[in-house]
Amino acid sequence: MDLDNALAGISGILVTPYDDAGNIAPAKLSPIIDRALAAGMHMPVVNGNTGEFYALTTDEACTMAREVCAMVDGRAPVLAGIGRGIKDACKLAEVSAEAGATALMIHQPPDPFVAPRGTVEYVKEISKASGGLPIMLYLRNDAIGISGIQALCDIDGVKGVKWATPNVMNLSKAIAACERSITWVCGLAEVWAPPMYAVGARGFTSGLINIWPDRSVAIHKALAEGNYTAAQQLIADMIPFEDIRAEELNGTNVTGVKAALIATGHDCGPTRPPSAWPLSDAQQAQMLKFLTDNKLT
């Protein structure tokens, strides 16, 4: 499987389904994965933030990695999210590698005391635990500076960076400073992909892939062809979806996706606190209008 092409494609961040008792229910993802892969999604991502990674126990995250790799069954590369304390992160990396993950997406540590050089050691230990799987770095905060980002990108095995901060100028500086073989991926979904493409990023992450994979694929195609006008027109229809997800300090990010899944016949359960659940009446009305306007229900 061509990881470089997949990194420059759509990284579809899968939700984590729950059953009526609140336990993980991975099998509910099967039709969602099948639909997204049939539409042309390049790489499913398990244990991402849209997958409520920080609401899962490490054992649950391990189970999700195993189950998603089994459901994908070699049809596409699988990117496995890795994070938390170093011991848990190494355990999850080892399990993800054994399950057949193609590469690791290493979450930026949320610990309040994070040293840039300590993060380098964090990534190196995770890489070793995985047996050397390729790595995508997940940067939600660029405060470590260009030199800190360069040090991370210099680690053996780092193939890509998921850039999830709206500072496009810093993205441009980081691209210029780092090894040319690194793939820089828009980590703020479809709406931010055009400006990030303009400075050299390729590909984007997507929560929409759970709901409307055909639209995500069409946006990627337009961007790959350099047709920014067409991409912006395609993005315009999905902005209400992303607007709902951005409310309450982004606390409805996963809520919006799961509410849309329920409305379209794919009940993956609620979200876990501290995520908001359910959508407010006004948010739900907006979501149903978005789904109806785009003939998704």
Side-chain angles (χ1 to χ4, degrees):
M1 292 180 286
D2 189 337
L3 179 60
D4 288 329
N5 281 338
L7 288 171
I10 301 170
S11 299
I13 319 296
L14 302 169
V15 299
T16 294
Y18 304 125
D19 61 22
D20 292 341
N23 300 312
I24 60 170
K28 291 184 177 185
L29 272 181
S30 184
I32 296 168
I33 291 172
D34 290 347
R35 179 176 63 180
L37 288 174
M41 174 181 66
H42 303 85
M43 183 163 57
V45 183
V46 61
N47 293 325
N49 281 336
T50 300
E52 297 180 81
F53 177 65
Y54 288 100
L56 303 177
T57 67
T58 299
D59 285 345
E60 287 176 326
C62 289
T63 298
M64 289 304 302
R66 294 187 188 100
E67 293 293 327
V68 167
C69 286
M71 281 184 271
V72 173
D73 193 25
R75 290 176 289 171
V78 174
L79 188 61
I82 308 294
R84 289 198 270 268
I86 187 63
K87 294 296 185 182
D88 284 337
C90 286
K91 175 183 176 181
L92 183 52
E94 182 179 352
V95 168
S96 297
E98 290 172 350
T102 309
L104 307 180
M105 179 184 73
I106 301 182
H107 291 261
Q108 194 169 16
D111 191 299
F113 306 114
V114 178
R117 60 193 172 97
T119 306
V120 169
E121 293 308 311
Y122 179 82
V123 172
K124 286 181 176 178
E125 287 195 33
I126 292 170
S127 174
K128 182 179 179 180
S130 76
L133 281 184
I135 292 166
M136 174 189 273
L137 303 169
Y138 183 3
L139 294 181
R140 292 180 58 83
N141 184 338
D142 56 5
I144 60 174
I146 301 303
S147 61
I149 294 168
Q150 185 176 9
L152 288 169
C153 288
D154 284 343
I155 297 170
D156 286 343
V158 171
K159 300 282 287 182
V161 178
K162 175 182 173 181
W163 188 272
T165 163
N167 194 331
V168 177
M169 293 309 297
N170 265 3
L171 169 60
S172 179
K173 293 175 183 177
I175 291 173
C178 295
E179 169 63 41
R180 305 308 296 173
S181 63
I182 299 290
T183 301
W184 298 82
V185 178
C186 170
L188 294 176
E190 290 86 348
V191 293
W192 276 93
M196 292 195 188
Y197 260 68
V199 299
R202 290 296 177 266
F204 52 83
T205 59
S206 176
L208 185 71
I209 205 79
N210 293 277
I211 308 297
W212 197 8
D214 293 327
R215 178 53 56 100
S216 294
V217 171
I219 292 167
H220 183 270
K221 182 175 185 293
L223 288 169
E225 293 171 350
N227 192 338
Y228 287 79
T229 299
Q232 292 286 22
Q233 291 171 343
L234 291 164
I235 288 168
D237 292 336
M238 62 164 290
I239 286 178
F241 176 74
E242 293 297 332
D243 283 348
I244 293 168
R245 297 180 70 201
E247 292 186 5
E248 300 185 52
L249 302 176
N250 289 314
T252 51
N253 187 293
V254 187
T255 316
V257 179
K258 284 195 163 182
L261 282 168
I262 290 171
T264 55
H266 296 280
D267 187 351
C268 287
T271 60
R272 289 176 175 174
S275 171
W277 187 266
L279 291 178
S280 69
D281 290 345
Q283 291 164 345
Q284 182 70 10
Q286 292 168 1
M287 180 61 75
L288 291 176
K289 184 178 186 303
F290 159 76
L291 296 170
T292 301
D293 287 349
N294 292 291
K295 299 180 174 58
L296 297 172
T297 56

